[in-house]
Amino acid sequence: MARKYIDNPNACSLVHTMNIIGNKWKPIILYLLSNGSMRFGMLNALIPTISKKVLTNQLKELENDGLLLRQSFAEIPPRVEYSLTEKAVGLLPVLRMLSDWANEAYPEMDFEQCRIIENGKASVQQRV
Amino acid sequence: MARKYIDNPNACSLVHTMNIIGNKWKPIILYLLSNGSMRFGMLNALIPTISKKVLTNQLKELENDGLLLRQSFAEIPPRVEYSLTEKAVGLLPVLRMLSDWANEAYPEMDFEQCRIIENGKASVQQRV
DNA sequence: AATAGTGGTAACCAAAAAGTAACTAATGGC
DNA sequence: GCCATTAGTTACTTTTTGGTTACCACTATT
């Protein structure tokens, strides 16, 4: 095996973007925060099938990559608010385009609700 | 746990898009095919760190989701050409925006090459 | 007769990601 | 004294993903 790297700046920044947001949960988290900050528990309620462990982990990674701001208030019971950074706001129009693309490319799909099936994968109804 | 689904059409189509292209290799594959069709071996050479098994698998999934066309020629040795469908072409500007976003959001990164480190994760140099 | 070349597949194994259930701290209300 | 509340953490298990090696078909070349 010769090369040990991908030798193309555009592919490369794309790889980097997908390393940061290219998974099941992160785009939804960013999307849900697009109208303002939200508490941990609220995010967990709006994405009912994510486990607390994984949500915590995704939020931590997004924070480390500079996409989320985490504000913890010294109250009892605790309150933690998550909000988007400027970096993340710059990503919102692109997320919007990704969602528009799905609506156009898969008109037979019904995107009113994503049912979450047993193994945790999101699945979408066929339109009848 | 109450709801078993995500109750938001926009989040939902976004989830669907990420189910289709939201992983390490698929965006690169689509990007590399943006200038025309390419053979299996060429793709494998341009993404030197993907294993044949995984490449085969990703190509199959992309074909099933209607993003790739696979043409197999009855020659010896075999020749198989992969190319983008219309659906996939519609995604290219969005992929472009994702890569532009990384360049803007992480100016300290050097996207000339993605080095691939031991565990297969792509990593990018810091600019010095 | 052996080898190269292409696009795979099969069996097997390792690593990463994700799920589950129980537990914590600190306070207010009953 | 007991329970509820919130945002987690911990330990453990399961699922998913990815990697490795060997192998195949079929022909041309050496």
Side-chain angles (χ1 to χ4, degrees), chain B residues 9-22:
Chain B
N10 291 324
C12 186
S13 42
L14 192 50
V15 167
H16 190 241
T17 301
M18 295 318 276
N19 275 347
I20 292 173
I21 58 150

Side-chain angles (χ1 to χ4, degrees), chain A residues 23-24 27-28 31 94-107 109-115 122-125 127, chain B residues 6-22 91:
Chain A
N23 77 359
K24 196 166 57 177
I28 317 174
Y31 171 80
V94 194
L95 295 183
R96 180 82 215 185
M97 286 181 77
L98 285 170
S99 117
D100 289 349
W101 173 81
N103 284 305
E104 263 190 58
Y106 301 92
M109 294 281 161
D110 173 17
F111 291 119
E112 288 307 305
Q113 290 178 349
C114 297
R115 308 207 159 272
S123 84
V124 173
Q125 305 276 105
R127 228 183 267 279
Chain B
I6 294 173
D7 207 357
N8 182 312
N10 291 324
C12 186
S13 42
L14 192 50
V15 167
H16 190 241
T17 301
M18 295 318 276
N19 275 347
I20 292 173
I21 58 150
L91 201 50

